[in-house]
Amino acid sequence: MRMNSEESSYYVLAERKRWRSIRIMYLTLFLNSTGFSIILPSLWPYLQELSPTVNYSFLGIAAAGFSVGQLFASPIMGKWSTDRGRVTLPAQICMVLGVLGNLMYALAGTAGSGTVPLWLVTVGRVITGAGAGCIALARSYHSTVTSIDERTGVVSKGSMAQASGFIIGPGLSFLTSLAGKGIQYRSIVFDQYTLPAYLCVVLILFNMIVLALYFREDVPPTEFMINSVIQSSEITTLRVRWSGVVVCSVLFYIAMMSFTITETLGTPLLQAELGLSQTKAIKYSSIFLTCTSVFSFITFSIVTPLGRRFGERKMMGIAFALSGIAYILLYPMGPGHIPRVQWTPLAVNNTVFQDDKEVVGCNWSNKWCYTQLRVSIYQYICATSILLFAYPLSTVIIISRVTKILGPHPQGTVLGILTGIGCLSRAVGPAIFSSLFELLGPVIVSIVMCITCFVATATSYVFRSRLDTFENRIQRLNAEIFT
């Protein structure tokens, strides 16, 4: 059916507004991940600045605060947006929380001494994490206003925007570190530790202004306007296969865990296996992660054609199989054993000894340091490269597949829960595997994660029928009705 000139003009205008709103949600994802990665490099020295007696355990608590906040906020914001049928107000509330959390983080030093500033930092990170519930809202909006054909591409570009933020964030953190001791106005300090939080506030306020001025939700997607299949009576009666959503949720947890474990254990693994100092291990780990993040950025751009060429379910299984192979490569194979470099602690009973050398090599109080073969630098590079290819491949396809399983049904709550599952994985996975690494070394991490990834591959194959899209089920139902 042909459209007249007036209908055609309306259609073109509606499409422009729709894609503008989609891109604004790309911006939201980008700024959110940028703000997250700006803070992390300066978190530990900031805690030390607030309290010289702080330990690594509290660092873990403060770092996990963001994920805990996001874990609880994502399902709530997703449910709220589903009930309202709109994401603008929940997104604005999330951004207000982000501003408040970052201000609490930056102003923690004004609370005096002792543990109070440390807990203010932690609470600030929790509130900021709650503000990151807008990630679930962005994903929900993308899935709502895109057609089935557009969805994987839009989801992958959203993930690409997040990856860009993770790459740019540390660079901005480096620029803020040039401020040094900075300046002080009364009790408020603007220095290398607080400027990242203030910069996050500026980015969030900019996002709020753009959202208020240019974001529109009253634009129907193309598939609702032309040749829509959603009005068919079969869709309103066909139920969602929740078993497929559960399978995708489990696979998403494993995919997020495989990446965060590599990110968390990269520095201690390099330090132990190559006999490096803390400074060099952090430097090399940062370089490797930055390079492989660029590699992931490229991967995000080819997810859509790969899914169309080979099928999304098949590529999902391949992604987990590649992750399993990567963890096989992280198994200590030699040549030689871990370098016998003297490990010297920097502090005992919270007393810092300035004359001691920097911590170097493996912690020889761990028995595995004496017996295990080393992981070569070539193993580490190959394994990390494969993991950073498999991670975006699996996560983008899983998120896209969940939206396609749900079809026209409300998606905000489900995508909020899925985002919360990713947060739970980021909080729990590194904690468990860091303890395993300390007790038994990289061998147990390699074995457990290798088995886990191959189990995920088998799961994606065994339950492949449960991962079928809502659209395919409708087509089969129609074929049965009319034959």
Side-chain angles (χ1 to χ4, degrees):
M1 180 172 139
R2 292 178 129 186
M3 293 185 290
N4 58 39
S5 58
E6 184 176 348
E7 291 173 334
S8 177
S9 299
Y10 170 77
Y11 170 76
V12 172
L13 181 61
E15 281 293 278
R16 287 178 180 174
K17 289 182 178 180
R18 180 172 74 100
W19 281 105
R20 183 179 65 192
S21 297
I22 289 174
R23 294 184 182 104
I24 288 174
M25 282 302 174
Y26 290 158
L27 176 67
T28 300
L29 292 169
F30 169 75
L31 294 178
N32 192 279
S33 59
T34 301
F36 172 78
S37 56
I38 286 175
I39 295 290
L40 284 182
S42 60
L43 177 58
W44 173 239
Y46 185 39
L47 293 176
Q48 289 178 308
E49 179 79 7
L50 295 174
S51 177
T53 60
V54 68
N55 54 33
Y56 284 109
S57 298
F58 198 91
L59 171 63
I61 295 173
F66 185 93
S67 296
V68 171
Q70 191 178 9
L71 170 64
F72 289 101
S74 295
I76 294 173
M77 292 298 174
K79 180 67 166 61
W80 187 16
S81 68
T82 298
D83 292 342
R84 283 181 52 85
R86 291 178 175 272
V87 302
T88 303
L89 180 59
Q92 294 283 17
I93 296 297
C94 283
M95 292 175 191
V96 170
L97 290 174
V99 170
L100 294 177
N102 280 295
L103 287 177
M104 182 177 290
Y105 177 96
L107 298 173
T110 63
S113 59
T115 60
V116 174
L118 299 180
W119 286 110
L120 282 177
V121 167
T122 304
V123 173
R125 292 302 291 161
V126 173
I127 296 175
T128 305
C134 60
I135 292 177
L137 298 175
R139 289 172 175 170
S140 174
Y141 178 77
H142 283 160
S143 65
T144 302
V145 300
T146 53
S147 65
I148 294 296
D149 292 335
E150 294 170 337
R151 195 159 299 161
T152 302
V154 170
V155 171
S156 65
K157 288 176 182 177
S159 299
M160 191 187 304
Q162 284 186 279
S164 302
F166 287 128
I167 294 172
I168 292 174
L172 295 177
S173 181
F174 170 75
L175 293 178
T176 58
S177 69
L178 300 178
K181 295 298 181 180
I183 59 175
Q184 182 172 347
Y185 176 73
R186 296 184 179 178
S187 60
I188 302 176
V189 179
F190 300 89
D191 61 9
Q192 59 183 328
Y193 306 127
T194 60
L195 277 178
Y198 288 124
L199 181 57
C200 287
V201 171
V202 173
L203 294 177
I204 295 172
L205 292 175
F206 171 73
N207 198 1
M208 292 178 68
I209 293 171
V210 172
L211 196 72
L213 294 179
Y214 301 106
F215 183 75
R216 296 291 180 270
E217 293 188 78
D218 55 351
V219 182
T222 304
E223 65 174 331
F224 286 88
M225 298 172 63
I226 300 176
N227 198 24
S228 174
V229 297
I230 293 184
Q231 296 176 354
S232 65
S233 60
E234 294 88 352
I235 285 186
T236 60
T237 58
L238 194 62
R239 299 179 61 185
V240 173
R241 275 185 176 167
W242 292 108
S243 56
V245 176
V246 172
V247 170
C248 285
S249 299
V250 173
L251 295 177
F252 189 70
Y253 182 95
I254 295 173
M256 293 296 295
M257 185 171 63
S258 68
F259 171 71
T260 52
I261 288 172
T262 305
E263 191 177 39
T264 303
L265 297 181
T267 299
L269 179 67
L270 286 174
Q271 182 178 346
E273 301 294 334
L274 303 180
L276 300 176
S277 65
Q278 282 182 317
T279 302
K280 288 186 177 180
I282 293 172
K283 177 182 177 182
Y284 291 163
S285 178
S286 300
I287 292 173
F288 291 145
L289 282 176
T290 300
C291 293
T292 49
S293 294
V294 175
F295 185 65
S296 291
F297 183 83
I298 298 173
T299 307
F300 281 119
S301 64
I302 63 173
V303 170
T304 302
L306 285 176
R308 289 175 180 170
R309 174 65 178 83
F310 300 103
E312 288 185 351
R313 285 177 288 184
K314 185 180 293 185
M315 291 307 303
M316 190 187 303
I318 291 174
F320 284 109
L322 288 173
S323 297
I325 293 172
Y327 278 103
I328 291 175
L329 290 175
L330 282 178
Y331 188 91
M333 303 177 187
H337 290 77
I338 294 173
R340 295 296 183 93
V341 181
Q342 181 63 40
W343 188 85
T344 307
L346 283 176
V348 178
N349 296 328
N350 292 326
T351 302
V352 180
F353 296 92
Q354 300 292 344
D355 295 333
D356 285 345
K357 297 179 180 179
E358 186 180 11
V359 177
V360 176
C362 191
N363 183 353
W364 296 98
S365 63
N366 299 326
K367 295 182 179 179
W368 58 268
C369 292
Y370 295 91
T371 57
Q372 288 189 8
L373 297 173
R374 69 186 300 181
V375 176
S376 72
I377 187 65
Y378 303 106
Q379 284 180 253
Y380 180 82
I381 293 175
C382 290
T384 305
S385 299
I386 294 174
L387 278 171
L388 267 294
F389 174 80
Y391 164 69
L393 189 63
S394 58
T395 53
V396 169
I397 289 177
I398 290 171
I399 296 172
S400 175
R401 180 57 54 163
V402 169
T403 66
K404 293 177 181 179
I405 292 174
L406 294 174
H409 294 271
Q411 306 198 3
T413 303
V414 176
L415 290 177
I417 293 173
L418 189 67
T419 303
I421 288 172
C423 299
L424 181 65
S425 177
R426 290 203 306 269
V428 175
I432 294 175
F433 281 89
S434 294
S435 300
L436 287 176
F437 180 83
E438 185 175 0
L439 291 174
L440 301 171
V443 168
I444 189 67
V445 176
S446 174
I447 292 174
V448 173
M449 282 307 303
C450 178
I451 293 173
T452 302
C453 291
F454 282 119
V455 168
T457 302
T459 301
S460 67
Y461 177 78
V462 172
F463 294 98
R464 63 189 183 279
S465 62
R466 294 291 170 182
L467 303 178
D468 201 7
T469 65
F470 199 93
E471 185 185 41
N472 288 342
R473 294 171 60 204
I474 286 294
Q475 291 176 352
R476 286 198 301 271
L477 181 61
N478 287 334
E480 293 174 1
I481 292 175
F482 294 107
T483 55

